[in-house]
């Protein structure tokens, strides 16, 4: 087993009594696309700035490979950053911007030219080399910033919400591009965003942060299907949350009494004993809706209160007992359902038992 | 009512223009009078006062002396003013306001007070009255203007510019020289021209701190005491034209340079 490229050990950072990063502990393997995801103020940007060397932790250590870089200034770390506002040098051409890091590393003229050729070809900037930053579009600036940060061939590339300034359509395109670039370069990317869709699209691994701490750390699929907390379930995608009482908990199946609805079986493990009150999460697209009783462990009768057509999916607001569930089903199936009576159900593994 | 106030405003504006330009026009015109004394009527016109300015070795020498003082005091003011601005700009520390206030003080102390105190100080330091003393005096006076202009520009520079430079391998000094200094260029041009004009125009400090060699304003003052000759008008007109050109050039190059770095 190789040692991880990046190790963050019990790092804490406060600003004027506000704890921005609280005892963060994390290791990142080489070649991963890791995303720190969370709302503003959750500590994700501070974590990135700690990795870049723009902040020094109050306690804890940061290792890059075998080196302790906790107090190494930014200019002596093998780490480069793509800034939120791109921070292109306004008085330099695209080419001079990209060359900046290479010149300071003392690379020869020939090598610098070769590297610029390589990167401008790779990122489709070949025709823009002589332009000034104010003559570029948002997407072009973003690529120049990326080229500039990749030029010195850093061991770790940090990206601080670099897609925030792009319009929605371009953003989707750049997400796919960025992921492809990461694959082709094999570089380790640490990406920061508050946009859950962006995180799901690009990441090999997502670290959800809240109030300076790691809320959950896993693959995009893990996080989506198996959120561990209310915060994660709520933050990533749409979800139905409901509270019930544990009746039985054995062999990987938890039986829960959901007041006014009935018994729900969840294919999950939990430490909570019978009698405890717990929160469950259920994704709208996991709910199956049928005119007749389905063959599923969890099945209930309900009434449709509202239908919302959303193109590929139709969203139904369904009244079950005194509760309301949101289901997302395909429009063809929705057309076969009558509003005042339908069956809905879901398999046990669709239900996630949350810790809070 | 609205048009009434409009008429009033435009009248006062034109009154102001007349008040501003008639003396200047008179001064320029009198430089063409073929007589040893100024005053109407002008019977004969001549160019001799103007050509005389460019042939008068004393006037040219004094002009060069004033220019040398302006250039050197501007250079020192830019260096010191930028240094204080960079020091005060990004950091917050206890007593920052005090340092800022002290740095601004020379701009608001009355010229005569500052001139007398500088004279005493220079004597105390055993510096002979003359060029070094005048440069010192002008520098002290000009530093606050440089500092204020540079601080204003510095506050518009995104923090990420310097961070990006540091991230790419620049130490603090290299980042300042290669990223911050070019960003400050329009402010530095503006401050430099302003300092040049302040220094070139200064009478009180130059008078108190000067030795036997006069600066241009001091020379003009001395000439005035021996009578209003049209030569004075000619000298003043040449200075007027040169400073106007310098001011306009600074304005233009500041604009273009600011536009270039606006991205």
């Amino acid at each position: 087993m190789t040692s991880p490229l990046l190790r963050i050990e019990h790092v804490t950072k406060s600003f004027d009594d506000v704890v921005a990063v609280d005892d963060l502990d994390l290791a990142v393997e080489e070649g991963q696309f890791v995303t720190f995801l969370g709302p503003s103020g959750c500590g994700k940007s501070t974590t990135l700035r700690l990795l870049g060397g723009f902040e020094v932790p109050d306690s804890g250590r940061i290792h890059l490979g075998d080196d302790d870089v906790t107090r190494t200034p930014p200019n002596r770390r093998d780490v480069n950053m793509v800034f939120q506002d791109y921070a292109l040098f306004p008085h330099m051409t695209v080419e001079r911007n990209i060359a900046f890091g290479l010149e300071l590393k003392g690379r020869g003229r020939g090598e610098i030219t070769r590297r610029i050729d390589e990167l401008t070809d790779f990122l489709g900037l070949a025709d823009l080399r002589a332009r000034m930053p104010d003559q570029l579009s948002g997407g072009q600036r973003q690529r120049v910033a990326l080229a500039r940060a990749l030029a010195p061939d850093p061991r770790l590339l940090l990206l601080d919400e670099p897609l925030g300034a792009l319009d929605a359509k371009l953003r989707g395109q750049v997400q796919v591009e960025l992921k492809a670039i990461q694959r082709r370069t094999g570089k380790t990317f640490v990406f920061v965003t508050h946009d859950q869709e962006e995180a799901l699209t690009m990441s090999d691994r997502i670290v959800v942060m809240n109030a300076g701490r790691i809320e959950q750390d896993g693959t995009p699929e893990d996080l989506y299907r198996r959120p561990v907390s209310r915060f994660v379930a709520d933050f990533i995608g749409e979800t139905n949350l409901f509270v019930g009482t544990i009746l039985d908990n054995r062999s990987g199946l938890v039986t829960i009494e959901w007041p006014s609805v009935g018994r729900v079986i969840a294919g999950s493990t939990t430490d909570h004993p019978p009698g405890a009150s717990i929160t469950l999460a259920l994704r709208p697209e996991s709910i199956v809706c049928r005119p007749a009783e389905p063959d599923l462990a969890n099945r209930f009768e309900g009434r449709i209160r509202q239908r919302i057509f959303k193109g590929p999916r139709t969203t139904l607001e369904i009244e079950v007992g005194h509760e309301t569930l949101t289901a997302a089903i395909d429009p063809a199936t929705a057309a076969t359902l009558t509003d005042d009576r339908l069956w809905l159900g879901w398999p046990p593994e669709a239900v996630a038992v949350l810790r809070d | 009512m609205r048009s009434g106030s409009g008429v009033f405003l435009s009248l006062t504006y034109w009154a102001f223009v007349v008040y501003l330009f008639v003396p200047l026009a008179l001064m320029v015109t009198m430089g063409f009078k073929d007589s040893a004394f100024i005053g109407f009527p002008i019977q004969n016109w001549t160019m001799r006062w103007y050509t005389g300015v460019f042939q008068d070795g004393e006037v040219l020498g004094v002009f060069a002396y004033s220019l040398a003082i302006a250039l050197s005091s501007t250079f020192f003011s830019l260096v010191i003013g930028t240094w204080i601005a960079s020091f005060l700009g990004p950091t917050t520390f206890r007593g920052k306001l005090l340092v800022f206030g002290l740095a601004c003080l020379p701009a608001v102390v009355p010229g005569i007070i500052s001139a007398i105190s500088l004279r005493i100080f220079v004597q105390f330091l055993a510096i002979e009255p003359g060029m070094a003393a005048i440069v010192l005096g002008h520098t002290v006076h000009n530093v606050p203007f440089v500092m204020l202009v540079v601080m204003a520009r510095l506050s518009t520079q995104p923090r990420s510019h310097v961070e990006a430079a540091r991230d790419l391998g620049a130490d603090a000094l290299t980042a300042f020289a290669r990223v911050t200094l070019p960003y400050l260029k329009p402010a530095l041009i503006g401050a430099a021209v302003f300092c040049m004009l302040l220094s070139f125009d200064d009478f009180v400090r130059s008078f108190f701190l000067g030795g036997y060699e006069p600066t241009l304003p001091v020379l003009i003052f001395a000439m005035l005491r021996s009578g209003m000759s049209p030569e004075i008008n000619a000298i003043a007109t040449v200075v007027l034209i040169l400073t106007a050109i310098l001011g306009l050039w600074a304005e233009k190059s500041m604009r273009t340079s600011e536009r270039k770095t606006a991205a």
Side-chain angles (χ1 to χ4, degrees):
Chain A
M1 169 141 176
T2 55
S3 67
L5 176 72
L6 173 70
R7 270 183 297 136
I8 303 171
E9 290 169 358
H10 301 290
V11 164
T12 297
K13 175 72 185 174
S14 315
F15 298 102
D16 302 331
D17 302 334
V18 178
V19 182
V21 174
D22 191 358
D23 196 30
L24 192 80
D25 210 53
L26 187 82
V28 175
E29 301 295 329
E30 186 144 18
Q32 275 190 336
F33 195 124
V34 182
T35 299
F36 285 97
L37 174 66
S40 62
C42 72
K44 58 190 194 302
S45 288
T46 305
T47 306
L48 206 68
R49 293 178 59 78
L50 286 164
L51 297 181
F54 304 112
E55 308 287 351
V56 174
D58 300 335
S59 64
R61 311 226 63 88
I62 300 170
H63 293 272
L64 190 64
D66 297 327
D67 309 323
D68 184 337
V69 296
T70 314
R71 294 181 166 274
T72 309
N75 51 318
R76 280 193 266 127
R77 294 188 185 205
D78 221 354
V79 171
N80 287 133
M81 176 129 142
V82 176
F83 289 83
Q84 191 165 13
D85 60 358
Y86 311 140
L88 298 179
F89 305 131
H91 59 289
M92 295 183 195
T93 60
V94 167
E95 197 173 296
R96 302 266 298 114
N97 261 285
I98 300 173
F100 193 85
L102 297 165
E103 286 167 8
L104 287 167
K105 284 239 153 74
R107 304 282 160 81
R109 202 61 252 168
E111 192 192 335
I112 293 177
T113 313
R114 251 198 324 282
R115 187 78 180 130
I116 294 174
D117 287 345
E118 196 181 301
L119 282 162
T120 48
D121 282 350
F122 181 54
L123 292 166
L125 295 166
D127 299 334
L128 307 173
R129 290 170 62 149
R131 295 262 188 101
M132 300 302 280
D134 65 346
Q135 299 169 314
L136 301 175
S137 71
Q140 290 167 340
R141 281 183 208 181
Q142 192 262 333
R143 273 182 286 156
V144 175
L146 187 62
R148 187 178 68 179
L150 282 171
D153 202 23
R155 298 175 73 179
L156 188 66
L157 191 76
L158 309 175
L159 302 104
D160 187 9
E161 307 216 23
L163 311 185
L166 306 179
D167 62 66
K169 198 171 174 188
L170 189 60
R171 202 180 307 170
Q173 188 188 325
V174 173
Q175 284 170 18
V176 177
E177 251 176 51
L178 208 54
K179 178 70 196 158
I181 290 165
Q182 190 266 334
R183 285 259 168 77
R184 280 171 63 187
T185 55
K187 282 254 166 294
T188 313
F189 278 34
V190 176
F191 191 92
V192 157
T193 184
H194 63 270
D195 183 330
Q196 45 104 9
E197 191 205 313
E198 211 165 275
L200 292 174
T201 310
M202 295 190 290
S203 320
D204 296 318
R205 177 178 168 197
I206 299 175
V207 179
V208 181
M209 287 188 72
N210 183 26
R213 289 174 168 276
I214 296 178
E215 194 78 19
Q216 192 173 357
D217 176 359
T219 65
E221 234 180 292
D222 269 351
L223 261 65
Y224 190 78
R225 297 203 186 288
R226 298 264 148 224
V228 297
S229 66
R230 224 173 226 280
F231 181 84
V232 176
D234 216 27
F235 198 76
I236 297 177
E238 296 277 309
T239 199
N240 294 295
L241 291 174
F242 49 94
V243 179
T245 314
I246 298 183
L247 294 177
D248 188 37
N249 178 8
R250 74 179 95 165
S251 60
L253 284 181
V254 187
T255 310
I256 300 112
E257 174 68 23
W258 187 11
S260 95
V261 177
R263 288 186 181 186
V264 176
I265 297 169
S268 177
T269 52
T270 177
D271 298 333
H272 294 289
S277 173
I278 55 167
T279 308
L280 306 175
L282 175 65
R283 297 290 177 192
E285 66 277 10
S286 304
I287 299 177
V288 176
C289 296
R290 294 277 178 273
E293 192 170 347
D295 182 21
L296 287 164
N298 298 299
R299 53 183 188 272
F300 305 97
E301 267 189 285
R303 293 193 304 127
I304 299 176
R305 299 184 57 179
Q306 201 178 7
R307 295 168 183 255
I308 302 159
F309 177 68
K310 288 185 174 170
R313 301 253 108 187
T314 293
T315 303
L316 303 177
E317 299 283 333
I318 304 168
E319 193 178 295
V320 188
H322 299 310
E323 305 283 334
T324 304
L325 284 179
T326 304
I329 62 173
D330 79 287
T333 311
T336 68
L337 301 171
T338 50
D339 279 2
D340 47 356
R341 191 159 183 272
L342 84 159
W343 282 89
L344 65 159
W346 55 87
E349 59 274 16
V351 185
V353 177
L354 308 182
R355 65 162 190 242
D356 53 352
Chain B
M1 155 86 189
R2 196 195 152 121
S3 78
S5 72
V7 167
F8 176 74
L9 278 177
S10 74
L11 272 180
T12 46
Y13 172 71
W14 286 110
F16 168 73
V17 169
V18 166
Y19 186 72
L20 180 70
F21 281 100
V22 167
L24 288 175
L26 276 177
M27 181 193 76
V28 174
T29 317
M30 285 300 162
F32 292 103
K33 187 184 179 187
D34 192 2
S35 156
F37 303 98
I38 65 169
F40 284 108
I42 299 174
Q43 277 122 357
N44 298 307
W45 299 81
T46 181
M47 281 294 290
R48 73 178 157 108
W49 300 117
Y50 281 94
T51 49
V53 168
F54 295 100
Q55 283 156 5
D56 187 331
E58 193 200 353
V59 171
L60 289 179
V62 168
F63 185 87
Y65 182 63
S66 277
L67 194 65
I69 288 173
L71 285 171
S72 9
S73 68
T74 297
F75 173 76
F76 292 124
S77 308
L78 285 181
V79 172
I80 298 171
T82 306
W83 182 74
I84 300 177
S86 314
F87 172 63
L88 285 178
T91 49
T92 44
F93 56 91
R94 262 154 59 112
K96 175 171 173 168
L97 207 64
L98 184 74
V99 175
F100 179 74
L102 281 176
C104 286
L105 205 57
V108 292
V109 169
I112 185 79
I113 308 285
S114 138
I116 294 170
S117 54
L118 278 166
R119 174 70 194 231
I120 296 168
F121 186 58
V122 158
Q123 214 147 31
F124 178 73
L125 290 181
I127 298 174
E128 284 290 307
M131 184 165 167
I134 298 175
V135 168
L136 192 73
H138 287 182
T139 303
V140 168
H141 182 236
N142 291 350
V143 158
F145 298 105
V146 177
M147 182 194 74
L148 290 172
V149 173
V150 171
M151 269 181 93
R153 177 73 178 162
L154 211 52
S155 70
T156 67
Q157 187 191 30
R159 185 176 63 162
S160 61
H161 282 190
V162 174
E163 286 184 347
R166 301 275 282 132
D167 186 60
L168 290 163
D171 55 41
L173 205 63
T174 312
F176 180 79
R178 294 199 50 182
V179 174
T180 305
L181 214 49
Y183 187 83
L184 291 178
K185 195 172 132 194
L188 292 175
I189 292 174
V193 169
F194 194 59
C195 286
M196 291 276 291
L197 296 180
L198 277 178
S199 164
F200 203 77
D201 180 54
D202 177 70
F203 175 76
V204 184
R205 289 174 189 79
S206 305
F207 186 74
F208 275 79
L209 297 168
Y212 297 110
E213 206 177 348
T215 65
L216 199 61
V218 176
L219 177 74
I220 292 174
F221 177 72
M223 287 168 81
L224 277 177
R225 297 175 65 168
S226 58
M228 291 286 276
S229 152
E231 190 186 4
I232 297 172
N233 295 52
I235 296 171
T237 304
V238 170
V239 170
L240 174 74
I241 290 167
L242 288 179
T243 51
I245 290 171
L246 186 65
L248 288 172
W249 171 80
E251 168 72 9
K252 186 171 173 294
S253 56
M254 261 171 85
R255 273 173 201 278
T256 43
S257 160
E258 229 159 41
R259 203 172 51 235
K260 261 196 258 169
T261 54

